[in-house]
Amino acid sequence: MGLIFKLDTKKIDKMFFTLSERVPSVLHDGLDHASRSFVKRFLTDRFPSSNLKAKKGSRLAKSFQRRVSTKNGNPYFVVSSSKPSAYILEKGGVIRGNQYLTIPLESSKTKSGATKARFRVPRGKSARDLKGDFIVHKSSKGNLLLSKIKGKKKKKIEPVFVLKRRVVHRPRLGFFKTFMDHKPRIVSIMEKTLQKSIKELSERGY
């Protein structure tokens, strides 16, 4: 007793030919899904939910963009930020100002961590261009502060910025660490995308 299992090589050849034509599109879709998955995890892991849900939110979080492209026939995805601060926060480093850097204090921030609109310094301008009366003074700890003068009769001062010549940032963004942690998920997405395409061709009789 025996049996013979015969392959229809014509159908197999046709399926692989059709699949090869679909590969660029299939890989593009897979990479689009994978990059979207990575960005979502990165933002969720590294930024507070209140920050992301805020109307304006974190300008750094919103600066991360993704795109899928092809070079020499090889598809790939890119996730990047246009903010110079992203590199410093990822790798660590020193930021120096021409004069003083204005570091927002908690009193000048919203609940989401962004600088309040009235204290936001426009690009190309300095804190001296902010509306209102401000004074520069030293705190009890010797830090140089820029404070807003509030009230007319009983004047009070509201510390807004601490002034620094230089600021040292420790690596804390975790962009590449999140990518490495998420890499197995990216591979899984690509495998499932290809498997789905092969299954669809098989069901269509190739």
Side-chain angles (χ1 to χ4, degrees):
M1 183 179 71
L3 59 82
I4 297 176
F5 175 74
K6 187 176 181 180
L7 290 172
D8 187 340
T9 55
K10 289 184 178 180
K11 283 191 174 182
I12 292 176
D13 288 344
K14 188 176 181 180
M15 183 183 76
F16 277 103
F17 177 76
T18 305
L19 180 61
S20 66
E21 288 186 320
R22 293 186 59 183
V23 162
S25 175
V26 170
L27 292 179
H28 185 283
D29 292 345
L31 288 171
D32 182 64
H33 181 189
S35 62
R36 185 168 59 250
S37 171
F38 163 61
V39 170
K40 182 179 180 180
R41 176 173 177 178
F42 168 64
L43 295 179
T44 302
D45 287 357
R46 298 298 172 178
F47 293 89
S49 58
S50 58
N51 197 320
L52 296 175
K53 291 178 181 178
K55 187 175 181 180
K56 292 186 177 179
S58 166
R59 284 181 284 182
L60 177 59
K62 291 180 180 295
S63 73
F64 283 91
Q65 303 292 325
R66 63 185 182 87
R67 64 182 174 87
V68 180
S69 189
T70 303
K71 185 176 182 179
N72 298 326
N74 298 314
Y76 62 92
F77 73 72
V78 175
V79 178
S80 60
S81 169
S82 58
K83 294 284 186 183
S85 58
Y87 180 85
I88 292 292
L89 292 174
E90 175 66 23
K91 297 292 186 179
V94 178
I95 298 178
R96 293 181 174 84
N98 292 329
Q99 295 182 358
Y100 284 97
L101 296 169
T102 50
I103 314 302
L105 296 171
E106 290 304 314
S107 60
S108 63
K109 295 180 182 180
T110 63
K111 290 182 179 180
S112 66
T115 304
K116 293 177 181 177
R118 67 178 184 274
F119 297 134
R120 199 168 295 146
V121 180
R123 181 172 294 181
K125 295 188 177 183
S126 65
R128 70 183 64 181
D129 296 307
L130 292 173
K131 293 181 180 180
D133 297 323
F134 291 83
I135 61 169
V136 176
H137 62 102
K138 281 190 175 183
S139 69
S140 58
K141 294 183 179 180
N143 292 317
L144 201 59
L145 302 178
L146 178 64
S147 299
K148 182 177 176 60
I149 300 175
K150 299 175 66 177
K152 293 183 178 180
K153 293 183 179 180
K154 293 184 178 181
K155 293 185 177 181
K156 296 181 180 180
I157 60 171
E158 177 186 10
V160 179
F161 298 104
V162 60
L163 306 179
K164 296 280 188 180
R165 292 282 190 185
R166 61 198 291 271
V167 175
V168 179
H169 281 286
R170 293 179 290 102
R172 59 186 176 88
L173 189 58
F175 180 74
F176 288 103
K177 182 183 184 305
T178 304
F179 175 75
M180 294 307 296
D181 291 343
H182 197 65
K183 201 171 181 179
R185 172 62 179 156
I186 292 174
V187 173
S188 175
I189 289 173
M190 297 306 298
E191 288 178 345
K192 288 180 180 179
T193 301
L194 288 170
Q195 289 170 0
K196 181 181 177 182
S197 182
I198 293 173
K199 183 179 179 181
E200 288 175 353
L201 289 175
S202 177
E203 290 174 348
R204 285 163 55 183
Y206 286 105

